[in-house]
Amino acid sequence: MALPRLTGALRSFSNVTKQDDYSEDSADLKNKRSQLQEDLLHSDHSWKKIVKFIEENSEKENQPSLHGDLRTILQASKQIVGCENGQEAIESGAVFLFKTLYMKEYVGHEETKAIKQMFGPFPSSSATEACNAASRIASHFIQEQLIALLQAPELQTAVTQSCFGKNIAFSFDMHDLDCSEELPVNGKMDKQKLISLDY
Amino acid sequence: MPALPLDELQLTEKDLLTGKLKTLPALHPEKKTERSFVLYKPPPKSRDPALLEEFLERARFIADDLDWLLALPHDKFWCQVVFDETLQKCLDSYLRHAPRKFDMAVDLAPEVNDLTKHLHRNVFLTFLRMSTHKESKDHFITPSVFGEILYNNFLFDIPKILDLCVLFGKGNSALLHKMIENIFIQQPSYFNDLDEIVPTVLQVFSNILYACGLRCEGASAEPQKLEERIRRTSPGDMSLQELKDIVLYLCDTCITLWAFLDVFPLACQTFQKHDFCYRLASFYELVIPELESVIKKRRHEDSSLLLDMWRRLSHSRKKVVEVFHIIIHQLCLQPILESSCDNVQPFIEEFLQIFTSVLQEKRFLCDCDELFSVADDVSLLQQASSSLDETRTAYVLQAVESAWEGTDRRKKNMTGPS
């Protein structure tokens, strides 16, 4: 239950605030995940672009194994995204998995969080297979090539833009109860100083 | 060519649907990005992994979305802030539900702590950017339009400003002062809103008194209902949970008021228009001794909880006295210190009137004198004006002395050299 607050009373009983209706917002997490997946579908990166890059920039003798790894990532994406979401969603998921995992030796805490945030609960074995395959693919290229391939246009804009407030000194200090109080209580100065209830 | 303010800027770009060029104001709903900000919920009190996971997911979404928002260029930031209702609700939910440090302590995992800090900073920076009408030489909003945008879209309102002071005022008071001052300067309607909420604050005092089975004289003009006396429960008879709720509410109310006036003392004038000092003192006089007495009597029921309540009550007392003195300082003492001798009379009069109105509140008077010596304040008046009415100041000082005599307490720092 929410703690009783002065500002809660002011919101409820005065006319100075917007009376927002929060009742429709219970599904906001689900909507957010759908939104992220939709954004991924419309991002500039396509699975075909990655496949083309790999074909054009790798030695011919390595291509069968590289194609095998690409298939593994696609298969892992199918497990994580779900077949019912269609080929387009599976390919978008594969792009996301490749981008998230290509520089990682294993699926760590951060990667797990990122995948879960995007798709919800997922089979960890699929993520591990995708991670191994993505690392094997990445080992055939220099890092700069892959960064150039995968950096999103919106990310590039953000890097060139300075983030508001990055140089502002911010303090995390918050108002708290005092450790001791100076005021005496009902004439019992010494006892109050210790904030003791043993009268 | 000098840059135009955002509110006058028009941008021409290709329509994605028709392919034709079209010109729109830079501040336009069509320029908002679909982002779906989620609502903030506080960390779970229990160690339920599912609840914790949901908290982390929400907090991560909000922190990431605010990272994105803060990196947006000036025009895009304002389109999002003004036209994205999900963002406004998200920020409001944080202010409502973010744990205050003085709330009941909850043990958080280090992972939660790091994310919470990231989020806390991002929320502050977002409000900071929202309170800034001139971000750079080329990126600004006409001040009067800025004031209208803030007010008409409820980007800031009085409860939000109070929450900001509680959450961020301790370590960022200088910056917060600038933010709030700028908001009130660019949009004086906020002073009207402040004037409107003071009766609600006074009603909160009345509600606390009512819950304690007490009634504040002059707090309500409504006649007492016949069955009212029967319905009221004294704090001695109520459950510990009810008593705890009252103390928590009192503590939050006192700290919030103090945090706001400490950051923005210009609000004191508006509070005092409602005779706030007198109301505050009489509220204190009724509620504090009653709750102290009940907590002491019930100390055997749950000693750790009652000790916690005792701390909160003591802290609330201190904050009430400090609020009273901030108002006295802002309305009387500070102007006297800053004025030439000819202009101090109205401030002296205000000081004497306020003190005269609280002289019957003896417990409050003692506690106030203990923390901020009334004699020192009167001495300042004596130094500032040669024509001070000594009879009235002597009357005030005498009343303070007699309030002390009515207790078995001794004044601090009043003993002579040994």
Side-chain angles (χ1 to χ4, degrees):
Chain A
M1 206 178 82
L3 288 168
R5 298 218 188 278
L6 172 67
T7 50
L10 298 182
R11 282 185 172 91
S12 302
F13 302 115
S14 70
N15 298 319
V16 300
T17 60
K18 187 176 177 181
Q19 296 301 324
D20 272 327
D21 178 16
Y22 287 87
S23 58
E24 293 168 9
D25 300 308
S26 51
D28 60 347
L29 266 186
K30 206 174 155 194
N31 295 341
K32 182 72 184 174
R33 284 193 209 111
S34 313
Q35 164 103 55
L36 281 180
Q37 288 175 28
E38 201 167 311
D39 289 349
L40 194 63
L41 276 177
H42 296 114
S43 78
D44 275 1
H45 291 121
S46 68
W47 183 244
K48 288 176 186 67
K49 201 169 144 189
I50 293 175
V51 173
K52 190 170 172 230
F53 167 85
I54 289 170
E55 282 172 350
E56 287 174 357
N57 295 281
S58 60
E59 303 291 335
K60 212 162 188 167
E61 65 268 25
N62 294 331
Q63 287 194 355
S65 72
L66 284 168
H67 274 291
D69 287 331
L70 286 169
R71 268 198 304 280
T72 305
I73 296 173
L74 212 50
Q75 187 58 30
S77 170
K78 204 173 187 175
Q79 299 292 325
I80 291 170
V81 175
C83 305
E84 67 280 7
N85 288 308
Q87 188 60 22
E88 206 182 352
I90 292 169
E91 287 188 358
S92 302
V95 174
F96 179 82
L97 290 174
F98 185 70
K99 277 172 72 174
T100 309
L101 301 169
Y102 78 96
M103 282 204 286
K104 308 291 171 193
E105 285 178 23
Y106 58 91
V107 186
H109 192 55
E110 287 303 312
E111 295 74 44
T112 306
K113 274 195 300 189
I115 299 169
K116 198 167 181 183
Q117 190 159 326
M118 179 62 76
F119 305 108
F122 64 93
S124 59
S125 58
S126 302
T128 305
E129 280 169 22
C131 182
N132 294 339
S135 314
R136 283 195 298 271
I137 294 172
S139 67
H140 292 271
F141 303 93
I142 55 170
Q143 203 171 324
E144 285 72 22
Q145 276 180 300
L146 292 168
I147 289 172
L149 168 71
L150 295 172
Q151 202 153 55
E154 62 267 28
L155 196 65
Q156 283 164 0
T157 323
V159 169
T160 51
Q161 288 278 336
S162 65
C163 186
F164 178 88
K166 70 173 180 186
N167 295 324
I168 286 171
F170 176 77
S171 165
F172 292 99
D173 215 358
M174 274 175 108
H175 293 303
D176 198 1
L177 300 179
D178 288 344
C179 293
S180 63
E181 300 297 330
E182 294 300 318
L183 293 173
V185 176
N186 293 350
K188 312 258 188 323
M189 180 183 272
D190 294 335
K191 286 167 184 170
Q192 193 276 336
K193 270 186 177 171
L194 300 167
I195 320 179
S196 166
L197 296 178
D198 299 327
Y199 283 68
Chain B
M1 202 175 112
L4 283 171
L6 181 65
D7 44 290
E8 290 177 23
L9 206 59
Q10 302 271 332
L11 297 175
T12 302
E13 52 191 51
K14 202 184 239 182
D15 190 316
L16 291 174
L17 290 176
T18 63
K20 288 180 183 168
L21 286 180
K22 65 172 181 179
T23 303
L24 283 176
L27 205 52
H28 192 277
E30 277 186 28
K31 294 183 181 294
K32 176 193 85 169
T33 306
E34 284 308 321
R35 190 79 189 183
S36 300
F37 284 79
V38 297
L39 297 178
Y40 174 82
K41 288 188 181 169
K45 289 191 180 76
S46 70
R47 291 202 171 260
D48 183 333
L51 291 176
L52 183 66
E53 194 51 49
E54 188 195 327
F55 165 76
L56 288 171
E57 187 176 18
R58 279 184 184 280
R60 223 174 275 130
F61 273 138
I62 301 172
D64 291 351
D65 282 344
L66 293 182
D67 275 336
W68 167 83
L69 182 76
L70 290 165
L72 286 179
H74 188 244
D75 58 330
K76 299 256 189 224
F77 170 83
W78 278 99
C79 286
Q80 206 67 30
V81 159
V82 173
F83 302 115
D84 188 345
E85 206 178 310
T86 66
L87 167 60
Q88 292 176 18
K89 283 185 176 180
C90 164
L91 291 171
D92 189 46
S93 66
Y94 185 82
L95 296 181
R96 283 168 186 249
H97 301 299
R100 280 66 169 148
K101 205 172 173 185
F102 55 83
D103 289 342
M104 294 290 193
V106 180
D107 226 5
L108 298 175
E111 185 193 7
V112 177
N113 262 333
D114 292 346
L115 184 57
T116 303
K117 281 187 167 183
H118 181 185
L119 181 55
H120 195 58
R121 183 174 191 272
N122 275 3
V123 171
F124 179 74
L125 289 178
T126 305
F127 278 106
L128 174 62
R129 198 174 186 190
M130 280 160 58
S131 63
T132 307
H133 66 279
K134 187 169 182 181
E135 206 168 295
S136 70
K137 187 166 64 68
D138 296 327
H139 299 113
F140 59 97
I141 303 173
T142 309
S144 58
V145 178
F146 169 75
E148 293 299 311
I149 290 172
L150 294 191
Y151 194 73
N152 296 342
N153 295 288
F154 293 91
L155 299 186
F156 286 91
D157 58 33
I158 301 296
K160 283 182 187 175
I161 293 171
L162 264 63
D163 284 330
L164 285 169
C165 290
V166 177
L167 288 168
F168 302 104
K170 173 88 184 284
N172 306 283
S173 63
L175 209 47
L176 202 54
H177 172 78
K178 278 189 186 174
M179 289 162 62
I180 297 174
E181 191 178 49
N182 194 41
I183 293 165
F184 274 77
I185 288 173
Q186 308 310 340
Q187 181 50 273
S189 298
Y190 281 114
F191 277 110
N192 301 337
D193 284 2
L194 196 56
D195 193 39
E196 263 198 56
I197 64 110
V198 177
T200 315
V201 174
L202 294 172
Q203 188 57 49
V204 167
F205 290 171
S206 294
N207 292 347
I208 292 173
L209 290 173
Y210 185 81
C212 293
L214 302 161
R215 200 169 178 89
C216 185
E217 198 185 326
S220 168
E222 286 175 29
Q224 186 180 314
K225 289 175 189 161
L226 287 175
E227 72 274 21
E228 198 170 53
R229 183 165 289 277
I230 303 162
R231 274 199 282 115
R232 278 191 264 156
T233 317
S234 84
D237 301 329
M238 63 180 58
S239 70
L240 262 189
Q241 183 59 45
E242 283 176 291
L243 184 61
K244 183 179 139 192
D245 281 350
I246 290 174
V247 174
L248 285 174
Y249 195 24
L250 174 70
C251 186
D252 178 80
T253 301
C254 298
I255 295 179
T256 304
L257 281 176
W258 171 80
F260 174 57
L261 292 178
D262 183 54
V263 167
F264 190 57
L266 274 177
C268 288
Q269 187 80 56
T270 310
F271 273 76
Q272 187 52 19
K273 270 167 67 183
H274 297 262
D275 229 356
F276 195 74
C277 284
Y278 162 67
R279 301 294 189 90
L280 193 66
S282 61
F283 169 67
Y284 185 100
E285 194 74 16
L286 283 166
V287 81
I288 297 294
E290 176 74 13
L291 288 176
E292 278 176 353
S293 154
V294 169
I295 292 172
K296 279 192 277 184
K297 274 185 200 156
R298 299 180 65 165
R299 66 185 183 276
H300 299 300
E301 289 181 38
D302 179 343
S303 57
S304 69
L305 176 63
L306 285 157
L307 193 60
D308 179 75
M309 281 196 236
W310 184 260
R311 278 186 71 202
R312 286 171 196 282
L313 189 59
S314 300
H315 194 75
S316 308
R317 286 166 46 201
K318 192 172 171 189
K319 291 300 149 196
V320 171
V321 173
E322 286 178 358
V323 164
F324 179 82
H325 204 264
I326 289 174
I327 298 176
I328 293 280
H329 188 266
Q330 179 68 17
L331 300 188
C332 314
L333 305 179
Q334 188 67 29
I336 289 172
L337 288 166
E338 288 170 354
S339 297
S340 67
C341 288
D342 305 337
N343 302 328
V344 296
Q345 207 49 46
F347 307 116
I348 291 177
E349 186 56 36
E350 177 89 0
F351 179 93
L352 292 171
Q353 272 188 15
I354 292 174
F355 265 95
T356 308
S357 74
V358 303
L359 290 185
Q360 74 276 21
E361 318 297 359
K362 295 192 183 308
R363 170 69 194 279
F364 173 79
L365 215 50
C366 285
D367 289 351
C368 185
D369 188 46
E370 175 116 32
L371 216 52
F372 303 99
S373 160
V374 181
D376 286 355
D377 290 347
V378 168
S379 161
L380 178 71
L381 309 189
Q382 284 163 338
Q383 289 167 45
S385 171
S386 52
S387 57
L388 186 68
D389 184 347
E390 295 289 347
T391 319
R392 290 177 72 192
T393 53
Y395 179 64
V396 169
L397 291 174
Q398 181 55 43
V400 174
E401 282 308 310
S402 104
W404 277 105
E405 281 160 17
T407 70
D408 54 354
R409 290 159 56 182
R410 282 185 300 121
K411 270 193 194 185
K412 268 185 171 180
N413 306 323
M414 296 300 282
T415 47
S418 55

